Amino acid sequence: MAITYTSKMNIKKIDIRIVFFFSILLLIGIISFLIQFFKHVDCDDVKYYILSDHSQSEEPIEFYDKTHNAKSWKWDFGDGSMMDTRRHTFHTYKEPGKYIVTLTINGECVHTRELILKDKYLLDKLGTPKIITSKIITVGQPTYFNSISRDAKTWEWAFGEGRGIIETSSNPVYTFLTPGEKTITLVINGDFSRVAKKIIYVHPRVIKKTNPLDVTSYVYEKNAESFSLPRGSVKKDPLEDMLQYVPVAPKNKTQKDSIAPIKKAPKISEDQFEILLNKVAEGSKVKDDFTEFLCDDLDIPVVKNDKELITFSQLCASLKGKKIKIESIRLNKDKQNNCIKGMNINYKVKKYLIWHKD
């Protein structure tokens, strides 16, 4: 009986050690799972932005990542320069052209984006158009104008008489209505950053006498004494009483011709517009925050996911409260006032842990 009792005690000790060992393994497994869960990055939900004011060479461009659980970054700017490992950084491209920017997050998520940069000095290379006109310009006589410019396709002429753009031909003919100093302006290909100006002077019209008076041959009808008033007391002129009852229109204040300045919308890139739309989805922005960029027109047409045409107000309403991932966005702007007149957007909505087209 003593041997049997001892063997039972040993079995109990062995069972407790096994349970304790497997409990430690289970705890280690749970801790490892939690660490991997909180360090995991959803490669389909990467959020990084490339912000540029003018998208041109010799300009600092901002690169910024907001991906959840991201711990390490590698920016390859596509121009042969060294990689940058910061989350928020700036880079300047020396030459214009097309570049492929690659971002690697946590060593496993790789995303690329195409960046197209214009030449910063392109306007200086093309030069400002030159205006050619006559040396002597007179009111009422046709004046011929010409221009010298490279690659000109459209012309917009204004002749400084408060009438705006009135000619769109390459060699216009204009007749000035008033004399004085005039400022001639010319815009080529709708590029208002290179406006040609020339100041001219318009001479008044000279009236020539067709039949000059020959004073030496003039014969007076009467003697000069016949036209003098007779002597006597001064009498009141009846015209003075009559003028008291003649209605006189009040004088109008002279109004100078003026051209109302064109209201321009502030500049905004497509990446910056994407950030604002994400804030609409989060609930921190509303459609009225876009008023200045859309020039007070919140019902501009929007092509959603290449298949549905809606207004911008409807787009903001559909994004509110959803978790979205914008794949591409293209803004259609008015070149004259920089207003956004339309846009194309492709995005996905996350529902039940699955991304799908809205």
Side-chain angles (χ1 to χ4, degrees):
M1 293 296 293
I3 296 173
T4 304
Y5 179 75
T6 303
S7 62
K8 288 182 179 180
M9 290 293 293
N10 292 333
I11 291 171
K12 288 182 178 180
K13 289 180 180 180
I14 293 172
D15 292 340
I16 293 173
R17 291 173 184 175
I18 293 173
V19 171
F20 183 70
F21 175 75
F22 279 105
S23 297
I24 292 176
L25 289 179
L26 180 61
L27 181 61
I28 293 173
I30 293 173
I31 293 173
S32 299
F33 173 77
L34 292 175
I35 292 174
Q36 292 295 327
F37 177 78
F38 287 108
K39 284 187 175 181
H40 175 69
V41 175
D42 185 0
C43 291
D44 291 332
D45 194 21
V46 171
K47 294 181 179 179
Y48 69 98
Y49 306 96
I50 301 176
L51 307 179
S52 175
D53 291 334
H54 305 96
S55 296
Q56 63 185 14
S57 59
E58 301 292 341
E59 173 195 26
I61 298 176
E62 183 179 3
F63 297 84
Y64 183 55
D65 177 65
K66 290 181 64 177
T67 304
H68 183 64
N69 286 338
K71 302 298 180 183
S72 65
W73 303 266
K74 285 185 180 180
W75 295 94
D76 184 355
F77 302 112
D79 60 347
S81 59
M82 294 181 61
M83 288 191 179
D84 199 318
T85 57
R86 292 173 291 182
R87 180 175 195 167
H88 186 193
T89 185
F90 291 85
H91 184 72
T92 301
Y93 290 89
K94 301 296 182 182
E95 301 292 336
K98 184 185 296 185
Y99 298 93
I100 302 298
V101 179
T102 304
L103 172 62
T104 305
I105 300 176
N106 291 359
E108 56 182 12
C109 294
V110 180
H111 282 262
T112 60
R113 183 175 296 182
E114 185 181 87
L115 184 62
I116 300 177
L117 300 180
K118 298 178 292 186
D119 190 353
K120 181 179 180 180
Y121 305 103
L122 180 60
L123 297 181
D124 297 334
K125 293 177 182 178
L126 293 178
T128 303
K130 295 182 180 180
I131 298 174
I132 301 175
T133 186
S134 305
K135 292 184 179 181
I136 300 176
I137 302 174
T138 306
V139 170
Q141 294 182 358
T143 305
Y144 296 86
F145 292 87
N146 197 359
S147 66
I148 298 177
S149 58
R150 295 169 52 187
D151 302 326
K153 296 181 180 177
T154 62
W155 299 263
E156 298 176 62
W157 294 85
F159 299 101
E161 289 196 316
R163 299 171 62 187
I165 297 172
I166 58 175
E167 284 289 343
T168 56
S169 61
S170 59
N171 303 312
V173 180
Y174 183 76
T175 302
F176 289 93
L177 304 177
T178 57
E181 191 177 87
K182 311 290 182 181
T183 301
I184 312 301
T185 59
L186 170 62
V187 179
I188 296 295
N189 298 336
D191 186 2
F192 285 87
S193 62
R194 297 185 296 124
V195 179
K197 293 184 178 181
K198 186 173 184 178
I199 298 176
I200 63 172
Y201 182 79
V202 180
H203 295 271
R205 194 176 204 178
V206 178
I207 301 176
K208 294 182 180 180
K209 295 180 179 179
T210 56
N211 296 315
L213 181 63
D214 187 1
V215 180
T216 58
S217 62
Y218 181 76
V219 178
Y220 293 96
E221 297 179 358
K222 295 180 181 181
N223 296 327
E225 292 79 6
S226 302
F227 295 97
S228 61
L229 295 174
R231 294 181 179 182
S233 59
V234 180
K235 296 181 180 180
K236 186 178 180 180
D237 190 350
L239 185 61
E240 294 182 6
D241 294 333
M242 184 185 70
L243 291 177
Q244 294 180 1
Y245 302 99
V246 176
V248 180
K251 294 183 179 180
N252 293 328
K253 295 182 179 180
T254 57
Q255 299 179 352
K256 296 183 178 179
D257 294 337
S258 61
I259 301 175
I262 299 175
K263 182 180 179 181
K264 291 190 176 182
K267 294 182 179 180
I268 185 172
S269 65
E270 293 175 344
D271 286 326
Q272 291 171 330
F273 202 85
E274 179 180 337
I275 294 175
L276 295 179
L277 287 179
N278 281 316
K279 290 185 179 180
V280 171
E282 295 170 0
S284 60
K285 293 286 185 182
V286 295
K287 64 179 182 179
D288 295 332
D289 294 320
F290 297 81
T291 302
E292 56 180 348
F293 304 110
L294 276 61
C295 295
D296 301 326
D297 185 8
L298 296 176
D299 291 327
I300 64 170
V302 177
V303 179
K304 185 177 78 172
N305 292 328
D306 297 327
K307 63 179 181 179
E308 185 177 356
L309 181 62
I310 60 176
T311 65
F312 183 77
S313 300
Q314 293 172 336
L315 175 66
C316 292
S318 65
L319 295 180
K320 186 177 180 181
K322 297 181 181 178
K323 188 172 184 181
I324 65 171
K325 179 175 66 175
I326 298 177
E327 297 178 340
S328 65
I329 183 172
R330 182 167 61 87
L331 304 178
N332 301 321
K333 297 182 180 180
D334 190 332
K335 293 183 179 179
Q336 187 175 5
N337 53 21
N338 205 39
C339 296
I340 299 175
K341 295 300 183 182
M343 61 179 289
N344 295 62
I345 184 171
N346 287 279
Y347 69 94
K348 291 183 178 180
V349 177
K350 193 171 186 179
K351 188 176 182 181
Y352 304 116
L353 302 178
I354 298 176
W355 293 97
H356 62 89
K357 293 280 188 178
D358 190 17

